[in-house]
mmCIF file of all heavy atoms in Angstrom:
data_model
loop_
_atom_site.group_PDB
_atom_site.id
_atom_site.type_symbol
_atom_site.label_atom_id
_atom_site.label_comp_id
_atom_site.label_asym_id
_atom_site.label_seq_id
_atom_site.Cartn_x
_atom_site.Cartn_y
_atom_site.Cartn_z
ATOM 1 N N PRO A 346 11.574 -7.766 4.904
ATOM 2 C CA PRO A 346 11.451 -8.449 6.214
ATOM 3 C C PRO A 346 12.578 -7.996 7.272
ATOM 4 O O PRO A 346 12.454 -7.910 8.417
ATOM 5 C CB PRO A 346 11.789 -9.955 5.865
ATOM 6 C CG PRO A 346 11.418 -9.963 4.348
ATOM 7 C CD PRO A 346 11.603 -8.707 3.865
ATOM 8 N N HIS A 347 13.756 -7.514 6.658
ATOM 9 C CA HIS A 347 14.978 -7.121 7.574
ATOM 10 C C HIS A 347 14.775 -5.611 8.013
ATOM 11 O O HIS A 347 15.592 -5.252 8.896
ATOM 12 C CB HIS A 347 16.152 -7.375 6.827
ATOM 13 C CG HIS A 347 16.409 -6.591 5.571
ATOM 14 N ND1 HIS A 347 15.813 -7.015 4.376
ATOM 15 C CD2 HIS A 347 17.015 -5.394 5.267
ATOM 16 C CE1 HIS A 347 16.117 -6.140 3.425
ATOM 17 N NE2 HIS A 347 16.792 -5.154 3.973
ATOM 18 N N THR A 348 13.883 -4.890 7.500
ATOM 19 C CA THR A 348 13.645 -3.425 7.896
ATOM 20 C C THR A 348 12.344 -3.186 8.415
ATOM 21 O O THR A 348 11.981 -2.065 8.739
ATOM 22 C CB THR A 348 13.974 -2.477 6.720
ATOM 23 O OG1 THR A 348 13.048 -2.805 5.644
ATOM 24 C CG2 THR A 348 15.295 -2.690 6.250
ATOM 25 N N ASP A 349 11.550 -4.139 8.723
ATOM 26 C CA ASP A 349 10.198 -4.094 9.135
ATOM 27 C C ASP A 349 10.163 -3.350 10.440
ATOM 28 O O ASP A 349 10.989 -3.703 11.456
ATOM 29 C CB ASP A 349 9.557 -5.406 9.327
ATOM 30 C CG ASP A 349 8.048 -5.460 9.561
ATOM 31 O OD1 ASP A 349 7.459 -4.460 9.690
ATOM 32 O OD2 ASP A 349 7.474 -6.595 9.924
ATOM 33 N N PRO A 350 9.389 -2.263 10.710
ATOM 34 C CA PRO A 350 8.272 -1.693 9.961
ATOM 35 C C PRO A 350 8.706 -0.303 9.160
ATOM 36 O O PRO A 350 7.838 0.539 9.203
ATOM 37 C CB PRO A 350 7.299 -1.375 10.995
ATOM 38 C CG PRO A 350 7.998 -0.951 12.218
ATOM 39 C CD PRO A 350 9.371 -1.824 12.194
ATOM 40 N N ALA A 351 9.839 -0.167 8.730
ATOM 41 C CA ALA A 351 10.328 1.063 8.202
ATOM 42 C C ALA A 351 9.408 1.583 7.061
ATOM 43 O O ALA A 351 9.048 2.775 6.964
ATOM 44 C CB ALA A 351 11.709 0.892 7.692
ATOM 45 N N ALA A 352 8.980 0.775 6.148
ATOM 46 C CA ALA A 352 8.219 1.162 5.093
ATOM 47 C C ALA A 352 6.734 1.548 5.464
ATOM 48 O O ALA A 352 6.183 2.570 5.144
ATOM 49 C CB ALA A 352 7.890 0.058 3.923
ATOM 50 N N PHE A 353 6.235 0.886 6.534
ATOM 51 C CA PHE A 353 4.919 1.197 7.024
ATOM 52 C C PHE A 353 5.030 2.538 7.729
ATOM 53 O O PHE A 353 4.044 3.466 7.565
ATOM 54 C CB PHE A 353 4.461 0.174 8.012
ATOM 55 C CG PHE A 353 3.049 0.436 8.490
ATOM 56 C CD1 PHE A 353 1.945 0.218 7.718
ATOM 57 C CD2 PHE A 353 2.809 1.004 9.831
ATOM 58 C CE1 PHE A 353 0.685 0.405 8.186
ATOM 59 C CE2 PHE A 353 1.542 1.244 10.338
ATOM 60 C CZ PHE A 353 0.429 0.923 9.487
ATOM 61 N N ASP A 354 6.082 2.757 8.523
ATOM 62 C CA ASP A 354 6.287 4.155 9.103
ATOM 63 C C ASP A 354 6.399 5.230 8.137
ATOM 64 O O ASP A 354 5.728 6.330 8.362
ATOM 65 C CB ASP A 354 7.544 4.078 10.031
ATOM 66 C CG ASP A 354 7.314 3.101 11.327
ATOM 67 O OD1 ASP A 354 6.184 2.813 11.616
ATOM 68 O OD2 ASP A 354 8.349 2.735 11.937
ATOM 69 N N ALA A 355 7.124 5.061 7.124
ATOM 70 C CA ALA A 355 7.281 5.969 5.933
ATOM 71 C C ALA A 355 5.964 6.346 5.319
ATOM 72 O O ALA A 355 5.539 7.482 5.079
ATOM 73 C CB ALA A 355 8.326 5.624 4.950
ATOM 74 N N LEU A 356 5.145 5.217 5.149
ATOM 75 C CA LEU A 356 3.800 5.327 4.541
ATOM 76 C C LEU A 356 2.924 6.295 5.438
ATOM 77 O O LEU A 356 2.335 7.083 4.918
ATOM 78 C CB LEU A 356 3.147 3.955 4.436
ATOM 79 C CG LEU A 356 1.659 3.945 4.118
ATOM 80 C CD1 LEU A 356 1.524 4.178 2.644
ATOM 81 C CD2 LEU A 356 1.106 2.709 4.555
ATOM 82 N N ILE A 357 2.919 6.111 6.730
ATOM 83 C CA ILE A 357 2.078 6.737 7.597
ATOM 84 C C ILE A 357 2.539 8.191 7.615
ATOM 85 O O ILE A 357 1.628 9.152 7.687
ATOM 86 C CB ILE A 357 2.089 6.146 9.006
ATOM 87 C CG1 ILE A 357 1.557 4.832 9.082
ATOM 88 C CG2 ILE A 357 1.324 7.145 9.959
ATOM 89 C CD1 ILE A 357 0.225 4.512 8.510
ATOM 90 N N ARG A 358 3.717 8.567 7.693
ATOM 91 C CA ARG A 358 4.283 9.880 7.540
ATOM 92 C C ARG A 358 3.786 10.577 6.308
ATOM 93 O O ARG A 358 3.361 11.739 6.335
ATOM 94 C CB ARG A 358 5.796 9.943 7.673
ATOM 95 C CG ARG A 358 6.291 9.691 9.169
ATOM 96 C CD ARG A 358 7.775 10.006 9.271
ATOM 97 N NE ARG A 358 8.611 9.254 8.384
ATOM 98 C CZ ARG A 358 9.238 8.059 8.481
ATOM 99 N NH1 ARG A 358 8.949 7.473 9.694
ATOM 100 N NH2 ARG A 358 9.919 7.500 7.711
ATOM 101 N N LEU A 359 3.985 9.909 5.161
ATOM 102 C CA LEU A 359 3.553 10.530 3.924
ATOM 103 C C LEU A 359 2.002 10.803 3.839
ATOM 104 O O LEU A 359 1.532 11.892 3.441
ATOM 105 C CB LEU A 359 3.991 9.675 2.722
ATOM 106 C CG LEU A 359 3.682 10.162 1.372
ATOM 107 C CD1 LEU A 359 4.444 11.471 1.080
ATOM 108 C CD2 LEU A 359 3.677 9.156 0.253
ATOM 109 N N VAL A 360 1.331 9.775 4.258
ATOM 110 C CA VAL A 360 -0.261 9.967 4.233
ATOM 111 C C VAL A 360 -0.654 11.132 5.073
ATOM 112 O O VAL A 360 -1.512 11.916 4.678
ATOM 113 C CB VAL A 360 -0.846 8.646 4.700
ATOM 114 C CG1 VAL A 360 -2.368 8.806 4.987
ATOM 115 C CG2 VAL A 360 -0.763 7.580 3.646
ATOM 116 N N LYS A 361 -0.116 11.271 6.242
ATOM 117 C CA LYS A 361 -0.407 12.386 7.119
ATOM 118 C C LYS A 361 0.075 13.719 6.630
ATOM 119 O O LYS A 361 -0.570 14.693 6.600
ATOM 120 C CB LYS A 361 0.241 12.143 8.498
ATOM 121 C CG LYS A 361 -0.561 11.139 9.365
ATOM 122 C CD LYS A 361 0.023 10.940 10.741
ATOM 123 C CE LYS A 361 -0.691 9.899 11.498
ATOM 124 N NZ LYS A 361 -0.113 9.860 12.910
ATOM 125 N N ARG A 362 1.383 13.792 6.061
ATOM 126 C CA ARG A 362 1.913 15.015 5.649
ATOM 127 C C ARG A 362 1.212 15.502 4.421
ATOM 128 O O ARG A 362 0.968 16.708 4.251
ATOM 129 C CB ARG A 362 3.385 14.803 5.346
ATOM 130 C CG ARG A 362 4.111 16.127 5.040
ATOM 131 C CD ARG A 362 5.639 15.829 4.738
ATOM 132 N NE ARG A 362 5.941 15.094 3.714
ATOM 133 C CZ ARG A 362 6.487 13.946 3.751
ATOM 134 N NH1 ARG A 362 6.957 13.431 4.891
ATOM 135 N NH2 ARG A 362 6.736 13.136 2.635
ATOM 136 N N ARG A 363 0.968 14.566 3.441
ATOM 137 C CA ARG A 363 0.393 14.952 2.125
ATOM 138 C C ARG A 363 -1.146 14.773 2.046
ATOM 139 O O ARG A 363 -1.776 15.066 1.062
ATOM 140 C CB ARG A 363 1.020 14.193 1.041
ATOM 141 C CG ARG A 363 2.369 14.380 0.871
ATOM 142 C CD ARG A 363 2.794 15.678 0.178
ATOM 143 N NE ARG A 363 4.240 15.978 0.238
ATOM 144 C CZ ARG A 363 4.902 15.991 -0.896
ATOM 145 N NH1 ARG A 363 4.358 15.915 -1.992
ATOM 146 N NH2 ARG A 363 6.181 16.280 -0.935
ATOM 147 N N ARG A 364 -1.761 14.236 3.103
ATOM 148 C CA ARG A 364 -3.198 13.963 3.230
ATOM 149 C C ARG A 364 -3.599 13.178 1.962
ATOM 150 O O ARG A 364 -4.625 13.386 1.388
ATOM 151 C CB ARG A 364 -3.903 15.313 3.327
ATOM 152 C CG ARG A 364 -3.715 16.125 4.613
ATOM 153 C CD ARG A 364 -4.530 17.358 4.455
ATOM 154 N NE ARG A 364 -4.112 18.123 5.701
ATOM 155 C CZ ARG A 364 -4.775 18.372 6.667
ATOM 156 N NH1 ARG A 364 -5.980 17.703 6.855
ATOM 157 N NH2 ARG A 364 -4.335 19.134 7.718
ATOM 158 N N VAL A 365 -2.981 12.161 1.799
ATOM 159 C CA VAL A 365 -3.134 11.169 0.765
ATOM 160 C C VAL A 365 -4.610 10.513 1.045
ATOM 161 O O VAL A 365 -4.700 9.942 2.090
ATOM 162 C CB VAL A 365 -2.037 10.136 0.542
ATOM 163 C CG1 VAL A 365 -2.356 9.063 -0.560
ATOM 164 C CG2 VAL A 365 -0.692 10.834 0.318
ATOM 165 N N PRO A 366 -5.448 10.576 0.058
ATOM 166 C CA PRO A 366 -6.861 9.958 0.331
ATOM 167 C C PRO A 366 -6.983 8.508 0.363
ATOM 168 O O PRO A 366 -8.070 8.016 0.853
ATOM 169 C CB PRO A 366 -7.728 10.634 -0.723
ATOM 170 C CG PRO A 366 -6.614 10.872 -1.886
ATOM 171 C CD PRO A 366 -5.358 11.180 -1.195
ATOM 172 N N ALA A 367 -6.034 7.746 -0.286
ATOM 173 C CA ALA A 367 -6.144 6.328 -0.285
ATOM 174 C C ALA A 367 -4.915 5.650 -0.227
ATOM 175 O O ALA A 367 -3.813 6.101 -0.761
ATOM 176 C CB ALA A 367 -6.791 5.923 -1.635
ATOM 177 N N VAL A 368 -4.937 4.403 0.491
ATOM 178 C CA VAL A 368 -3.801 3.505 0.576
ATOM 179 C C VAL A 368 -4.266 2.186 -0.022
ATOM 180 O O VAL A 368 -5.345 1.623 0.453
ATOM 181 C CB VAL A 368 -3.342 3.182 1.972
ATOM 182 C CG1 VAL A 368 -2.185 2.289 2.003
ATOM 183 C CG2 VAL A 368 -2.800 4.620 2.533
ATOM 184 N N ILE A 369 -3.553 1.828 -0.991
ATOM 185 C CA ILE A 369 -4.012 0.517 -1.739
ATOM 186 C C ILE A 369 -3.105 -0.560 -1.295
ATOM 187 O O ILE A 369 -1.966 -0.474 -1.312
ATOM 188 C CB ILE A 369 -3.920 0.630 -3.322
ATOM 189 C CG1 ILE A 369 -4.507 1.877 -3.809
ATOM 190 C CG2 ILE A 369 -4.384 -0.597 -4.072
ATOM 191 C CD1 ILE A 369 -6.032 1.927 -3.706
ATOM 192 N N VAL A 370 -3.689 -1.767 -0.781
ATOM 193 C CA VAL A 370 -2.966 -2.930 -0.429
ATOM 194 C C VAL A 370 -3.538 -4.088 -1.217
ATOM 195 O O VAL A 370 -4.698 -4.141 -1.529
ATOM 196 C CB VAL A 370 -3.059 -3.158 1.074
ATOM 197 C CG1 VAL A 370 -2.314 -1.933 1.830
ATOM 198 C CG2 VAL A 370 -4.423 -3.321 1.583
ATOM 199 N N PRO A 371 -2.688 -5.226 -1.368
ATOM 200 C CA PRO A 371 -3.230 -6.440 -2.020
ATOM 201 C C PRO A 371 -4.462 -7.109 -1.284
ATOM 202 O O PRO A 371 -5.381 -7.561 -1.861
ATOM 203 C CB PRO A 371 -1.961 -7.335 -2.079
ATOM 204 C CG PRO A 371 -0.766 -6.336 -1.942
ATOM 205 C CD PRO A 371 -1.337 -5.310 -1.085
ATOM 206 N N ASN A 372 -4.128 -7.143 0.064
ATOM 207 C CA ASN A 372 -5.225 -7.623 0.956
ATOM 208 C C ASN A 372 -4.948 -7.253 2.380
ATOM 209 O O ASN A 372 -3.775 -6.744 2.555
ATOM 210 C CB ASN A 372 -5.376 -9.236 0.785
ATOM 211 C CG ASN A 372 -4.043 -9.835 1.101
ATOM 212 O OD1 ASN A 372 -3.525 -9.704 2.123
ATOM 213 N ND2 ASN A 372 -3.660 -10.720 0.094
ATOM 214 N N GLN A 373 -5.796 -7.498 3.253
ATOM 215 C CA GLN A 373 -5.724 -6.985 4.605
ATOM 216 C C GLN A 373 -4.456 -7.593 5.392
ATOM 217 O O GLN A 373 -3.969 -7.130 6.216
ATOM 218 C CB GLN A 373 -6.956 -7.171 5.362
ATOM 219 C CG GLN A 373 -7.052 -6.452 6.727
ATOM 220 C CD GLN A 373 -8.375 -6.530 7.328
ATOM 221 O OE1 GLN A 373 -9.273 -7.073 6.798
ATOM 222 N NE2 GLN A 373 -8.561 -5.941 8.486
ATOM 223 N N ALA A 374 -4.043 -8.873 4.899
ATOM 224 C CA ALA A 374 -3.023 -9.530 5.490
ATOM 225 C C ALA A 374 -1.782 -8.746 5.421
ATOM 226 O O ALA A 374 -0.839 -8.873 6.198
ATOM 227 C CB ALA A 374 -2.733 -10.923 4.862
ATOM 228 N N HIS A 375 -1.579 -7.989 4.418
ATOM 229 C CA HIS A 375 -0.391 -7.144 4.225
ATOM 230 C C HIS A 375 -0.165 -6.028 5.354
ATOM 231 O O HIS A 375 0.822 -5.664 5.645
ATOM 232 C CB HIS A 375 -0.175 -6.476 2.856
ATOM 233 C CG HIS A 375 -0.031 -7.377 1.860
ATOM 234 N ND1 HIS A 375 1.299 -7.540 1.401
ATOM 235 C CD2 HIS A 375 -0.604 -8.480 1.253
ATOM 236 C CE1 HIS A 375 1.423 -8.589 0.427
ATOM 237 N NE2 HIS A 375 0.272 -9.027 0.291
ATOM 238 N N LEU A 376 -1.318 -5.779 5.987
ATOM 239 C CA LEU A 376 -1.332 -4.798 7.148
ATOM 240 C C LEU A 376 -1.369 -5.466 8.493
ATOM 241 O O LEU A 376 -1.134 -4.847 9.447
ATOM 242 C CB LEU A 376 -2.561 -3.876 6.998
ATOM 243 C CG LEU A 376 -2.530 -2.880 5.925
ATOM 244 C CD1 LEU A 376 -3.956 -2.189 5.867
ATOM 245 C CD2 LEU A 376 -1.568 -1.817 5.952
ATOM 246 N N SER A 377 -1.547 -6.642 8.582
ATOM 247 C CA SER A 377 -1.928 -7.433 9.847
ATOM 248 C C SER A 377 -0.719 -7.434 10.797
ATOM 249 O O SER A 377 -0.796 -7.541 11.984
ATOM 250 C CB SER A 377 -2.338 -8.770 9.534
ATOM 251 O OG SER A 377 -1.278 -9.627 8.947
ATOM 252 N N ALA A 378 0.587 -7.337 10.198
ATOM 253 C CA ALA A 378 1.770 -7.526 11.039
ATOM 254 C C ALA A 378 2.365 -6.145 11.454
ATOM 255 O O ALA A 378 3.439 -6.244 12.218
ATOM 256 C CB ALA A 378 2.896 -8.351 10.229
ATOM 257 N N VAL A 379 1.889 -5.095 11.028
ATOM 258 C CA VAL A 379 2.424 -3.738 11.360
ATOM 259 C C VAL A 379 1.461 -2.787 12.062
ATOM 260 O O VAL A 379 0.249 -2.910 11.770
ATOM 261 C CB VAL A 379 3.025 -3.162 10.131
ATOM 262 C CG1 VAL A 379 4.164 -3.842 9.506
ATOM 263 C CG2 VAL A 379 1.961 -2.783 9.152
ATOM 264 N N GLY A 380 1.992 -1.942 12.817
ATOM 265 C CA GLY A 380 1.163 -0.959 13.497
ATOM 266 C C GLY A 380 0.146 -1.489 14.505
ATOM 267 O O GLY A 380 -0.148 -2.610 14.383
ATOM 268 N N SER A 381 -0.262 -0.651 15.278
ATOM 269 C CA SER A 381 -1.478 -1.010 16.209
ATOM 270 C C SER A 381 -2.790 -1.092 15.509
ATOM 271 O O SER A 381 -2.837 -0.493 14.350
ATOM 272 C CB SER A 381 -1.446 -0.168 17.341
ATOM 273 O OG SER A 381 -1.937 1.110 16.881
ATOM 274 N N GLY A 382 -3.728 -1.659 16.088
ATOM 275 C CA GLY A 382 -4.921 -1.795 15.389
ATOM 276 C C GLY A 382 -5.647 -0.263 15.353
ATOM 277 O O GLY A 382 -6.226 -0.002 14.331
ATOM 278 N N GLU A 383 -5.244 0.461 16.250
ATOM 279 C CA GLU A 383 -5.786 1.884 16.250
ATOM 280 C C GLU A 383 -5.210 2.615 15.048
ATOM 281 O O GLU A 383 -5.809 3.425 14.336
ATOM 282 C CB GLU A 383 -5.497 2.616 17.533
ATOM 283 C CG GLU A 383 -6.104 3.968 17.669
ATOM 284 C CD GLU A 383 -7.636 3.849 17.607
ATOM 285 O OE1 GLU A 383 -8.272 2.987 17.984
ATOM 286 O OE2 GLU A 383 -8.111 4.938 17.015
ATOM 287 N N THR A 384 -3.915 2.531 14.846
ATOM 288 C CA THR A 384 -3.232 3.106 13.716
ATOM 289 C C THR A 384 -3.808 2.719 12.396
ATOM 290 O O THR A 384 -4.233 3.493 11.614
ATOM 291 C CB THR A 384 -1.744 2.773 13.826
ATOM 292 O OG1 THR A 384 -1.194 3.242 15.029
ATOM 293 C CG2 THR A 384 -1.017 3.472 12.580
#
Side-chain angles (χ1 to χ4, degrees):
H347 61 282
T348 59
D349 189 5
F353 185 78
D354 292 343
L356 166 84
I357 297 303
R358 285 192 304 272
L359 180 71
V360 166
K361 287 181 175 182
R362 187 176 68 243
R363 299 286 175 109
R364 298 179 185 254
V365 177
V368 176
I369 311 290
V370 295
N372 57 54
Q373 196 168 358
H375 285 259
L376 293 174
S377 65
V379 295
S381 67
E383 185 61 30
T384 299

